[in-house]
Structure formats: structure tokens, C-alpha cells
Amino acid sequence: MQQLTLGGSRPVRSSLTVRLLLMLGVAALLGPGGRAQTPPPASAAPSSATTSKSQASTPPSEQETQQLNNLFRRLRPATLRLEDCPLEGSCAEPNGLGSGFLISAEGLALTAYHVVFQSQKLEAVTSDGQRHPVNVVGFDEQHDLAVLKVSVPRGTPFFPLAASNPALKEAALVIGNGNGDFLRPKTGRLLSLNADAGRADFPPGTLELSAPLVPGDSGGPVINLRGEAVGVVSYISLQRSSSSAGNTILSYAVPVTTGDNLLAALRAGTKNEAPVIGVSILPELSSLDQEEFKEANRILKLGLGDTPGAFFMEVTAGSPAAQAGLRPLQIDAQRKITPGDVVTAVNGKRILNFSEFQYAVRQYKPGDSVTLTLLRGGKELKVTLKLAPRSTLK
């Protein structure tokens, strides 16, 4: 039950010089099996909001706050604390923690997929403190959404889903387990209805809201003033500020409605994993443009040549990349550099950096074969490999 998605903030893009110094200082400390294909993006996410965020992020009014408080008291029994428990013994110290909420009288529930990814033994704790076994019914990793079956008693309350998408600037309530707290409320406003994280492994088209969520809130419901669930909490973004006002946390949720085709498929047992190759890079270097690629080569003498593309610094053991013999850029503890491969195309589609590499790979499914065009020591090679589901990488 990884907290990676909600825990992954998006820093303001730093200068290339700072990123290169970080690369030299941190690269030798990276262990094998680093966050394969999950680097935080180098810039804040764009938003499709048609109003200024300062206007939309006005706190809920006194009347709205009272309504949301009443909803919290009424709907809290339909929310869940999700714990990944040890296979044996008690769950006093769970391996992971997240949130969820019931959506049917039969015990179906929604959460973020990354909350239950690679969990060993899922248990749900309801507001009365009772524990209930959990099974994963269906999931879609790309949209960070999962449907669960929770063995709750008949008559346990559940959430109605909204029939349509929410409106911009609506006040909203989230109930979650952030920082280990037990099913606590947080409020805010919707800032965007179609936000983009700017990275391939985060869900597209999310709701952006001003509620100050933290790890542990993942999977919780976003609730409108009518008491309907309109979204499932997925990730956060830390907007850094040099002003005295301090940093701002923006939160993002996958929208859900009663007529959602994806939700219907997950209820029916569909399980869609994301495809991976098994390579990773420092977040600060994932989105270099052509000039920055050349500057990195010049300053650090990386030996990657003059043609920009996707280079990487880790290859996960046993992954498709390892089996195909892909070579990472290596920097040892003495800062000695060993040049690696530079991927310039995926199935003939030109790519300029690691971020574009991720997006190109995500167009396919696990089991698909792709051909990478790469440069190795200045010579062009073509390597074909079969994409693997992310759960197979350790």
C-alpha cells in the first residue's frame, strides 16, 4: 500500500545547474530498484480552471462550513480506514495506510489504486472501530482507481455518487486518514475540473481542490454540498512560494459519477495494470529540453552525445530493460561517470527526454512489444522488448 502518489509533491522547476549538482550529490546514493518510471515532474501541473485560483480558493463560507460539518457527521460511518496488515499477527503496525468509502449496500467501496497496490492483507476499519476483510474487485492503474468488496454488516451506510460532474468553485469535503488520523474532515473548493499532473503515471483529467490533504488521505471521498461523492483523492502538489505566505498544498482527485463507464467496468472485475520497462532517473532530470541536454553533457561530461533523448540512471533487475541489456548512465561514489544509452524513439515516435519516454510507453499495454531506437556510444541501435505489468517489478 504505497503512499508514493499522494506523497509525491511537485517542486517548482529549479535551474539546470542546481539539478546537475543534485544529480552528482545523490546519484551514487540511489539503490537498485528505484522508483521505476515514477519520477515527480519538474514543474507544477497545468490547470484548465477558467477562473483565478485566488478567487476559487476562497474558504467555504460560514453557511457552507456548517453544511459540510453536518455532512461529515452523517457520512463518516460510510468511510473507511484501509490498512495493509501483516500476514500473521495483529495490525497494530500496518505496512501501509489509506482511505476509502462505501458505495453500495453490498459492501462495494472505492479507493485510489495506489493505496492497495501490492498489499498483502487488506483490512478496513469503520468509524465504530470494527475491522472487516477486504478484497480487490477491479482496478485501473492509469486512472488510479480501485473497487473493493468489504465484508461490512448489512445496513452499513454508503455514499450516493453524483449523477454529473461538479461545478467550478464548489465547496467540497474530504474525509480521510491523513498523517494517521482516524477519518477526519478537511474542506476546500474545486479549482479545476480537468487538471493534468504533467506526468504519464498520474491520472489524467482530475479534479483540483484547495483542501490541504496529506499522505493517508489517498482514496478518500470528495463530497459536494448535496452529500454526493464526486471524486476519489489521488495525489497532491506542493506549490512552493518565496513569499511570507508559505507553501500551498493543492489536492487532486479522480472524478466519479453514476454513469461512469470505467467504474462500471471495475465493478465487473476489470483489472488494468500500467506497462513498464523498468528504468528510472532523478526527478530533476526527467524533462530536460534540447539545450539543457546539451548543457548537461558539456558541464558534467556525460558522454551522451549531441542528440537529445531519454537517458536513465537505474535499470531494475529482472525488468524488460534488464533483459534487453539497456545500459544506464552511472555515477559512482567518486563521481566517475560511465555513459549509458540514450533512447530517441519508441516504435518510431521521436522522444526528447525521459518524460516523453514515459508518455510514449503508456500508450501500450503490458504484454505489447515495442522497439526502442537508441544511441550507444554514438551508434544507433534498435532494441525490441515486451512491456511488463508494474506489479512484476520488485
Side-chain angles (χ1 to χ4, degrees):
M1 185 183 298
Q2 296 185 350
Q3 302 285 352
L4 172 64
T5 303
L6 185 60
S9 62
R10 289 199 294 276
V12 171
R13 187 171 186 139
S14 58
S15 70
L16 178 60
T17 301
V18 171
R19 282 181 280 151
L20 294 179
L21 290 173
L22 178 63
M23 175 174 148
L24 280 175
V26 176
L29 302 178
L30 288 177
R35 297 297 186 189
Q37 301 199 355
T38 52
S43 59
S47 169
S48 64
T50 56
T51 185
S52 72
K53 288 187 178 177
S54 60
Q55 177 187 4
S57 60
T58 302
S61 67
E62 184 175 344
Q63 180 180 358
E64 289 171 328
T65 298
Q66 184 60 51
Q67 287 180 266
L68 295 175
N69 287 338
N70 291 338
L71 286 172
F72 168 68
R73 287 189 288 270
R74 177 164 66 86
L75 294 172
R76 188 172 185 251
T79 55
L80 305 168
R81 176 185 177 97
L82 295 173
E83 297 182 352
D84 178 19
C85 300
L87 292 176
E88 297 181 1
S90 72
C91 202
E93 296 184 3
N95 299 318
L97 172 68
S99 305
F101 57 102
L102 295 162
I103 59 170
S104 81
E106 296 75 33
L108 290 182
L110 282 176
T111 189
Y113 173 63
H114 77 269
V115 168
V116 300
F117 174 68
Q118 291 188 331
S119 58
Q120 299 182 66
K121 179 184 173 185
L122 280 172
E123 291 186 2
V125 185
T126 44
S127 61
D128 58 5
Q130 297 300 306
R131 291 185 169 273
H132 310 280
V134 177
N135 291 307
V136 178
V137 175
F139 62 81
D140 187 285
E141 183 170 6
Q142 185 76 357
H143 290 86
D144 196 25
L145 197 62
V147 170
L148 312 176
K149 178 66 169 67
V150 186
S151 298
V152 292
R154 295 186 65 84
T156 302
F158 61 90
F159 273 83
L161 298 182
S164 59
N165 291 326
L168 203 62
K169 298 192 291 182
E170 265 194 78
L173 165 71
V174 173
I175 303 176
N177 301 283
N179 282 337
D181 291 340
F182 184 55
L183 298 175
R184 301 307 304 162
K186 293 175 183 175
T187 61
R189 288 192 184 278
L190 291 170
L191 309 181
S192 173
L193 307 182
N194 189 27
D196 182 4
R199 55 186 277 183
D201 56 341
F202 274 16
T206 52
L207 306 176
E208 181 182 69
L209 61 154
S210 59
L213 306 184
V214 293
D217 288 321
S218 281
V222 178
I223 307 160
N224 64 21
L225 286 171
R226 293 178 296 280
E228 302 165 327
V230 298
V232 180
V233 175
S234 178
Y235 65 97
I236 60 175
S237 169
L238 177 62
Q239 309 290 315
R240 300 191 186 279
S241 172
S242 58
S243 70
S244 58
N247 300 330
T248 300
I249 292 177
L250 295 178
S251 307
Y252 298 81
V254 178
V256 290
T257 60
T258 53
D260 192 324
N261 291 331
L262 175 59
L263 185 53
L266 301 189
R267 284 176 182 254
T270 296
K271 296 180 178 180
N272 295 325
E273 285 198 68
V276 294
I277 285 177
V279 295
S280 59
I281 193 173
L282 287 173
E284 292 77 13
L285 301 174
S286 64
S287 302
L288 299 181
D289 61 28
Q290 297 186 52
E291 291 305 314
E292 289 174 331
F293 181 90
K294 293 177 181 178
E295 186 179 350
N297 265 313
R298 178 179 60 81
I299 294 175
L300 295 180
K301 298 181 174 59
L302 299 180
L304 297 177
D306 297 325
T307 303
F311 63 97
F312 40 92
M313 302 174 70
E314 289 288 335
V315 173
T316 304
S319 67
Q323 295 172 20
L326 295 189
R327 299 178 183 177
L329 170 71
Q330 296 178 313
I331 305 176
D332 65 19
Q334 286 71 45
R335 298 185 180 180
K336 177 184 177 182
I337 295 173
T338 303
D341 296 332
V342 178
V343 180
T344 59
V346 177
N347 280 350
K349 178 181 174 61
R350 181 75 171 97
I351 60 171
L352 297 176
N353 54 44
F354 191 90
S355 180
E356 292 186 7
F357 188 20
Q358 285 185 293
Y359 275 105
V361 168
R362 285 292 178 116
Q363 304 307 307
Y364 301 94
K365 302 187 298 295
D368 288 348
S369 292
V370 296
T371 298
L372 307 182
T373 304
L374 57 88
L375 296 173
R376 179 178 293 168
K379 296 181 179 180
E380 184 174 283
L381 301 174
K382 292 188 183 295
V383 175
T384 299
L385 46 76
K386 182 179 290 187
L387 302 177
R390 187 164 73 99
S391 64
T392 62
L393 299 189
K394 302 301 183 182

